[in-house]
Structures are given as C-alpha cells and as structure tokens.
Amino acid sequence: MYYNGFGPESTLRKLCPNELGQQWRRERELAVKKTLIAVGFEGSANKIGVAFVALDGTILSNPRHTYITPPCHGFLPRETAHHHLRHLLPLLRSALSDAGITPADVDCLCYTKGPGMGAPLQVSAVAVRALSQLWGKPIVAVNHCVAHIEMGRVVTGAEDPVVLFVSGGNTQVIAYSEGRYRIYGETIDIAVGNCLDRFARVLTLPNDPSPGYNIEQLVKKGEKFIDLPYVVKGMDVSFSGILSYIEATAAEKLKINECTPADLCYSLQMIDCAQETVFAMLVEITERAMAHCDKKDVLIVGGIGCNERLQEMMRVMCSERGGKLFATDDRYCIDNGAMIAYTGLLAFAHGMTTPLEESTFTQRFRNDLEEQYQQQTLALKLQSVINLGHSCCGFNFRHDRVQSWSRAEHLTSGTGSPPHSQHSAARAATKKEKDEQSDFKIEKKGTGKPFRSSRKGIVLDSGF
Amino acid sequence: MDPMASDAGFDVDDRSPASSGWEFACDFEVDYRSEEHANIVYATLAVDKELQPDKVKRQMSISDGKLKVHFEAVEARFLRASFSAFVDLMILTTQIIEEYN
C-alpha cells in the first residue's frame, strides 16, 4: 500500500490524527493526574487583572480593576503604574479566595511581557518575580496580542477564523494561511480604540466604564449621514485623518460659550458617523483578508470587540459571505488576567518557562517576529492537540521585518547591551522616555525604521 | 515574619561631582533582617536595568540582610524619577514578601 496523494484515506491523513491523538492522550494523562493551574497577571494598559486558569480552559477566577481617569484625560504611565501597585495585592487575594485554591496548587506564574506601557507592565513583572521566588514556581512570559487571540479562540470555539484584533493600542487583521498565522492588515498610525477614546474626549464624555462604551450608548440613535475621511490603504487602515478632522470641526462647533444645541447635535451625529466610518474601514480590510485566504468566519478580539455595532456590521458581512461571526463579551474581550494565564499555561504545558533573569518587559513586542515565533508554534500546536483542531504553527514574520528586527532588537528589547554604537543606545533611551511620557500610546511597531519603507513587505506578504 | 524593619540612612549627596557629569547621588538601605528576604528583593529588582544608563546608574548590594542601593544621575530630575519608581516597586515586593512568606 502506498500513498498516491489523492485518496481520501491516504496514509498521511491517517498519520496526522494518530500522532495528534497520542500526544493528546499524553497531555490528558498529565492533566488528569493533576490539572495544571496557572495564575496570570495582566497590566499592560489601564487595567490590572489577576486570574487563575486550569489547562482545560476552566477559569477559576478572573477579577480585574480599571484605572478610570477624569473626562478628557488619558491615562499616563506613572499614574497607571501607581493604580496597579495599589490594586495588585487585593486582586490576588480575591482571585485566590474566589478560586478556592492555595499558592501550592499553582503550577506556573504568567505575566504580560508586552506590548504595552512600560511602567504598568513592570508592576506585574515585578510581582511575578517576587512570587516566583516565594512560592518556588516557574515564570512564563506572554505576548499580550497572542493572549487575546488564544482567549478568543478557546472561548468561542472558532476553528479557523480571520481574527480582527482591535483595542486601545492595537488594530490588526490576522489569519492562518499556508501553515502560519499572518498579519494581513493593520493600522499605519493610531489604533482604532485610541481614535474612539479621543472622539469621546471631544464630547467630554466620562471614561467610566470606558470611553468607547459611552460613545456606543450615545450614538445608538443616529439619523443623518455626514461624509468623513475614509482611509483604507491596500490592506491597511489609517485613523489619524478622521481624528484630526473630528477634533478640528468639533472644537469649532463646541466652543464653550457659543455652543448651541444644534451644534452639539451636529457634533454628536458626526461622532456617530465617525464610529460608523472607522468600523466600515475595519470591515473592509477584514473582508479583503477573508477573500484573500478563502475563509468564511471572523473572530473579533480586543477591547473594541465588545462594541455591538461593530459586531453587527461584521455579522452582516460574514453572513453575506456565508460565514459566522465569533465574538466574546466584555469579560474576555477586554484585557484580563485569564487570557494571560491560559496562554502562558499552554506554553508551560509544553515545557516553556522564562528564567527569572529574563523575565523582563518590553513596550514594543510584535507578535509576528522571530522571537515570538517559537513560543507560538508550541503554544498553538499544543492547543490544537487539546482541541483536536487543525495543527497550526505560529506567526509569520514578515520578510521586510526580519532585517529590521535584527537591527532594531537591541533598541526594542530594552535590556541587553547594544551591539552597535553608543548613539543607538542613547536614541533608544530617548525613544523610551518619549514613549513613557506620551499619553496613551501603545503602538507596537517593533521596527526601528520608519514605516513607509516597510510597506513593501505587506504587498509581498499578502501576495499582491 | 519580621516585617520591613527600618529605613536606615537616607542621604542625597549633591556636593561635589565624583566624576564628570554624575553630580547627583543617593544612597539608602533597607534592613530586612533576613538574608533570604533581601535576596528575593534584590533578585526581583535587579532584572530591570535603568532605562537611561547614560543618565542614571544604579548599584545594589546585600549585606547582613540589608539591601543597599546607590543611585547616580546627571540631573536631579532623572535621579528623582528613577528613585521613586524603584522605591514604589520595592514597596510592592516587600508587601508581597510580608503576605506570602
């Protein structure tokens, strides 16, 4: 008997499930003997979350606390870090008691390594280091973006979707194609959440529970359509133009003394249309990615993912293409500890840990770079074993980014000594300082070079 | 367990530049009265290097269960920023040790 490459019951096709099955049984045995439990610390932006999660996906506890600033204010790194410092231990206490376990039951400690704001990231990193020594448990560093995707997949059970990752700091369309996850499109300037937050500031909306939620509630009754800048560049989107337009126009209309009800009404409608426009842009690039890689389902993850209008628009698009939309609610969409714990636990179950000395954090941490590649390969492989889904294996790194990464590595890692000149170290330092000081900026362009020059790679990557 | 005992000795020195540029220095020590605890705090905080090594330097050492920290900076504002961030995290570490020792 030989494999001719065509038969439905070919040797190759038989082999894969069996191998997966064996590995899966081994993992199950391990899990049955003692269910692996991880604690996850998430603190990359204005939310601090601590969660206990078991390997089978059971969330034992998942409390979080959000740093809410006054209207018209973003969250600054230092203040946000202080918020996290205040709430970390109380959250850990309540997470432990909710889960009904003791530190001895925990198998590994997971934390967000990046991307995010430096000072807030450092809080969870430091906490995990101290606890690791006190409890004698290993550490697992987790990429925030990967954690969002993993969490979305395990919660919704989406098998092979195009993933739209939209939050306050990230906007990416990711899909599994040709044996790898690839980034099909992303924002070329600010994230969609950042854009929405700043619309909210124009209207002086409160930040409680979140600016995006308040916009969503306010604009549910829009009637008139106002034409606004709509910027889709190939597979990518840009939001800074529409933001500038809104800020300039609304500032004119909303001058404190001269603001008439009609002006306010117009501004509201404008924000409504702005939300509609940015979501339409997102739906367009998602649809393009779907058409390109021939997929029918979409999974939305990240904080904006719980916006019902976005879900509705995406659902219409999916149904027109004969697919399904997978989305989660605010418990899993918005940053939480469980996603970190779950993703870290997958890596840990596959034998991956982070030594204490290497448990650093980094503001810029692309999820499609080489360093990340291995961890994801393992984590995703393992997950596919557990779910008996397809055996996927990690993120692609773009052709254009490989070189720039090796060049930019020391700039972005923030730890190791730069192999190049003192000049580049100084530049990195000033860059970091600028990042820390700038309000609400969680961009994660991991490259040291300007984006324009790297755009070629998108074309290459997506085969256009 | 013996809680964080004392914050003995706190000295900001801006009298004379020891070497060119590093004019602002600060020394402090925390007595944990336990070599083990001091080691945990040391290992926890030593992982993160100073963000601007050309502007702020930090040295740490342990002796007799005391954690000794020495800062040097080229400007007062860098010293203040580094120092306060460091102390915030040291307090968190100490609280964690107190709670989960």
Side-chain angles (χ1 to χ4, degrees), chain B residues 48-88:
Chain B
D48 296 319
K49 306 287 175 274
E50 283 299 318
L51 284 177
Q52 302 177 72
D54 54 333
K55 297 193 178 77
V56 185
K57 284 194 274 194
R58 183 186 70 212
Q59 281 149 8
M60 293 198 284
S61 60
I62 302 171
S63 65
D64 287 343
K66 283 182 192 159
L67 180 71
K68 292 183 179 173
V69 189
H70 173 72
F71 278 99
E72 265 179 59
V74 291
E75 279 181 48
R77 62 195 179 104
F78 295 128
L79 181 64
R80 194 188 62 231
S82 284
F83 174 84
S84 67
F86 181 86
V87 171
D88 285 341

Side-chain angles (χ1 to χ4, degrees), chain A residues 394-434:
Chain A
F395 275 71
N396 169 41
F397 49 89
R398 290 184 177 174
H399 313 293
D400 61 299
R401 295 247 157 80
V402 180
Q403 270 202 321
S404 57
W405 165 248
S406 51
R407 201 146 42 89
E409 193 172 12
H410 61 274
L411 289 176
T412 51
S413 67
T415 50
S417 59
H420 296 331
S421 61
Q422 192 66 34
H423 175 67
S424 61
R427 248 187 33 218
T430 26
K431 216 164 136 198
K432 272 195 188 305
E433 187 194 11
K434 244 166 65 191

Side-chain angles (χ1 to χ4, degrees), chain A residues 78 82 85 89 92-93 96 122-123 126-127 129-131 133-135 356-357 359-361 429 432-433, chain B residues 39-40 43-45 47-48 51-52 54-55 77-78 81 85 88-89 92-93 95-97 99-101:
Chain A
R78 180 72 55 223
H82 275 139
L85 286 166
L89 271 171
L92 179 56
R93 250 172 254 144
L96 268 172
Q122 195 176 17
V123 176
V126 162
R129 285 175 213 149
L131 288 171
Q133 295 173 78
L134 288 165
W135 295 355
L356 180 73
E357 310 77 52
S359 60
T360 52
F361 61 96
K432 272 195 188 305
E433 187 194 11
Chain B
N39 272 320
I40 290 176
T44 300
L45 298 175
V47 176
D48 296 319
L51 284 177
Q52 302 177 72
D54 54 333
K55 297 193 178 77
R77 62 195 179 104
F78 295 128
D88 285 341
L89 292 168
L92 176 71
T93 313
Q95 285 171 342
I96 290 174
I97 292 174
E99 186 147 342
Y100 293 104
N101 178 41

Side-chain angles (χ1 to χ4, degrees), chain A residues 6-25:
Chain A
F6 294 103
E9 285 295 308
S10 66
T11 325
L12 194 67
R13 290 186 65 151
K14 268 188 203 159
L15 186 69
C16 291
N18 281 346
E19 269 188 359
L20 285 176
Q22 277 170 12
Q23 209 176 342
W24 180 75
R25 272 197 293 278

Side-chain angles (χ1 to χ4, degrees), chain B residues 6-18:
Chain B
S6 64
D7 187 359
F10 176 77
D11 171 34
V12 175
D13 168 28
D14 59 348
R15 284 159 297 177
S16 61

